[in-house]
Amino acid sequence: MAGRQAAREPAEAAGSTIRAGELDVGYIDDGSGVPLVLIHGGEGDRTAYATLRRHLGAGIRAISYDQRDSGITVNPPVPYTLSDLGDDVVALLDALELESAHLLGTSFGGAVAQHAALRHPGRVASLVLIATTPSFALGADAIDKLLELSYSDLRNAVDDYFVTPGGRARMGARAARTLTARDPERRARRHAAAREHEIRDRLGEISAPTLIVHGTEDRLAPYTGAVVMEQRIPNAELRAIEGGRHAVGMEFAETIAGWVREFLGVTADAAPKP
């Protein structure tokens, strides 16, 4: 396996796909070292982690992919659950010939990562949960309001929900550009899956070491949910970003990348700790 991984060609953002289970999955696979799967949020796709990737540095093999009804992934036009999406992560690991990987998920992607860890504990080396929640019920009013917006209105709402005033000045429209347009059927399937997310009573079953990163002013995934995860996941650590909103993974990418490298044991010389 190691030889095949060393010889692999990088998957570029332009449109590489891989057969994973029943899906043709769009993905980006670059860098070498510790495998880290980047799981995008509800309104994003495989390109959403461009800012974070720039700061992850050497020693990390960063793999992002398009979930169902996202980007260039081709999936059957049928309903699915977050459990299905968790299984899709493992199908991707199988396709890439990876026995296990670290998972980093933001928002909806963090929920997918939690379900993957619950269903396939032996395949998940660790979790990094950014701006996510153990339950849709936490922040449901704000989420429902956002999900009812059209794509154009959603882009206009990014400033209020996603970035701090200081972040707007630095980032301009960068956060809005990560939002992906979907037709009503695809949006409806993803929103239905999100609304079923409720694992507060199962957090104690997550065995993977877990780093939780959360903004204290997140309206879509309230900070109280991060505290619940820290308290109930057996091996969890919470790092707060004071005043941070929902797009902390982008706005504070450099800081978070440093925390991720530390958490994964990737040293300054890019060699993972034994």
Side-chain angles (χ1 to χ4, degrees):
M1 183 182 298
R4 292 189 66 178
Q5 289 181 31
R8 66 186 170 82
E9 294 295 328
E12 302 297 339
S16 295
T17 62
I18 190 169
R19 187 69 178 178
E22 65 178 358
L23 311 179
D24 291 315
V25 177
Y27 75 116
I28 307 170
D29 183 355
D30 59 15
S32 61
V34 175
L36 176 65
V37 178
L38 308 174
I39 310 176
H40 64 76
E43 305 302 321
D45 64 14
R46 72 193 182 286
T47 66
Y49 285 104
T51 301
L52 183 62
R53 277 177 184 275
R54 289 199 294 270
H55 297 290
L56 285 174
I60 294 177
R61 176 183 174 184
I63 304 159
S64 61
Y65 72 100
D66 290 326
Q67 298 162 27
R68 299 189 188 210
D69 292 325
S70 304
I72 58 175
T73 285
V74 179
N75 56 272
V78 296
Y80 45 83
T81 67
L82 282 167
S83 293
D84 294 325
L85 297 181
D87 292 346
D88 290 345
V89 175
V90 172
L92 177 63
L93 297 186
D94 289 341
L96 295 172
E97 298 186 321
L98 289 169
E99 292 295 331
S100 65
H102 304 272
L103 306 184
L104 182 155
T106 299
S107 189
F108 183 98
V112 173
Q114 292 168 58
H115 284 264
L118 285 170
R119 293 174 65 80
H120 305 279
R123 308 296 298 275
V124 178
S126 74
L127 292 176
V128 180
L129 304 177
I130 301 175
T132 191
T133 180
S135 171
F136 179 85
L138 302 174
D141 290 343
I143 298 171
D144 278 331
K145 182 177 179 181
L146 201 67
L147 295 184
E148 290 170 359
L149 296 176
S150 67
Y151 174 68
S152 59
D153 287 341
L154 181 62
R155 286 175 64 95
N156 291 332
V158 163
D159 284 352
D160 289 334
Y161 284 94
F162 287 81
V163 296
T164 66
R168 294 173 213 166
R170 295 191 305 274
M171 296 165 57
R174 198 188 316 164
R177 288 196 296 269
T178 66
L179 302 178
T180 299
R182 292 178 175 84
D183 63 41
E185 277 190 24
R186 291 176 178 173
R187 290 195 80 191
R189 284 194 291 265
R190 290 181 64 74
H191 297 170
R195 289 185 170 93
E196 294 177 0
H197 178 50
E198 175 55 80
I199 63 162
R200 281 176 287 186
D201 291 341
R202 299 193 62 197
L203 291 172
E205 301 173 34
I206 294 178
S207 58
T210 302
L211 173 64
I212 303 162
V213 178
H214 216 94
T216 59
E217 300 300 324
D218 192 328
R219 295 168 58 192
L220 300 176
Y223 187 72
T224 53
V227 173
V228 169
M229 291 189 291
E230 181 193 30
Q231 292 173 341
R232 299 187 185 182
I233 296 175
N235 190 8
E237 170 193 0
L238 171 60
R239 295 203 178 188
I241 296 181
E242 292 296 328
R245 298 185 181 178
H246 199 56
V248 290
M250 177 178 291
E251 183 175 348
F252 300 93
E254 184 173 5
T255 295
I256 292 174
W259 292 345
V260 170
R261 290 180 63 82
E262 177 185 352
F263 178 66
L264 299 184
V266 180
T267 59
D269 61 1
K273 295 178 182 177

